[in-house]
Amino acid sequence: MSDPFGSASDSVVAPARHAFAITPSNNDLASFTKAIYVGTGGTIVLRPIGSDADVTFTNVQDGSILDLRCKAIRATGTTASGIVGLA
């Protein structure tokens, strides 16, 4: 299979090369995200990589993509589901 972009360098603004399911937890993620996809909306409590405090996003809509580099999606307070990390 040919990848015409295989030699392009990765950056924060480049499209994600990896996607992984996120189960909200009160621990940090195994790897940081470039963005997150939210399958079923609700509230998301997360920790951005440049922050020392969690942030709460309310009323996140189904199918949303949040362009946010984060290191944790907290179980406590998160009601959204079907969350996928894009990296």
Side-chain angles (χ1 to χ4, degrees):
M1 183 177 301
S2 175
D3 180 1
F5 302 103
S7 63
S9 64
D10 195 16
S11 73
V12 181
V13 295
R17 292 180 168 210
H18 178 67
F20 54 95
I22 294 177
T23 300
S25 168
N26 291 322
N27 298 314
D28 287 350
L29 297 169
S31 65
F32 296 155
T33 67
K34 284 186 180 186
I36 57 173
Y37 168 81
V38 182
T40 302
T43 298
I44 299 177
V45 179
L46 58 83
R47 174 79 50 102
I49 66 168
S51 180
D52 293 330
D54 291 343
V55 177
T56 301
F57 288 79
T58 58
N59 298 316
V60 177
Q61 299 298 307
D62 293 359
S64 294
I65 293 179
L66 301 178
D67 293 328
L68 189 65
R69 298 187 68 209
C70 60
K71 60 183 173 184
I73 306 289
R74 304 297 187 200
T76 304
T78 295
T79 61
S81 62
I83 301 170
V84 177
L86 305 173

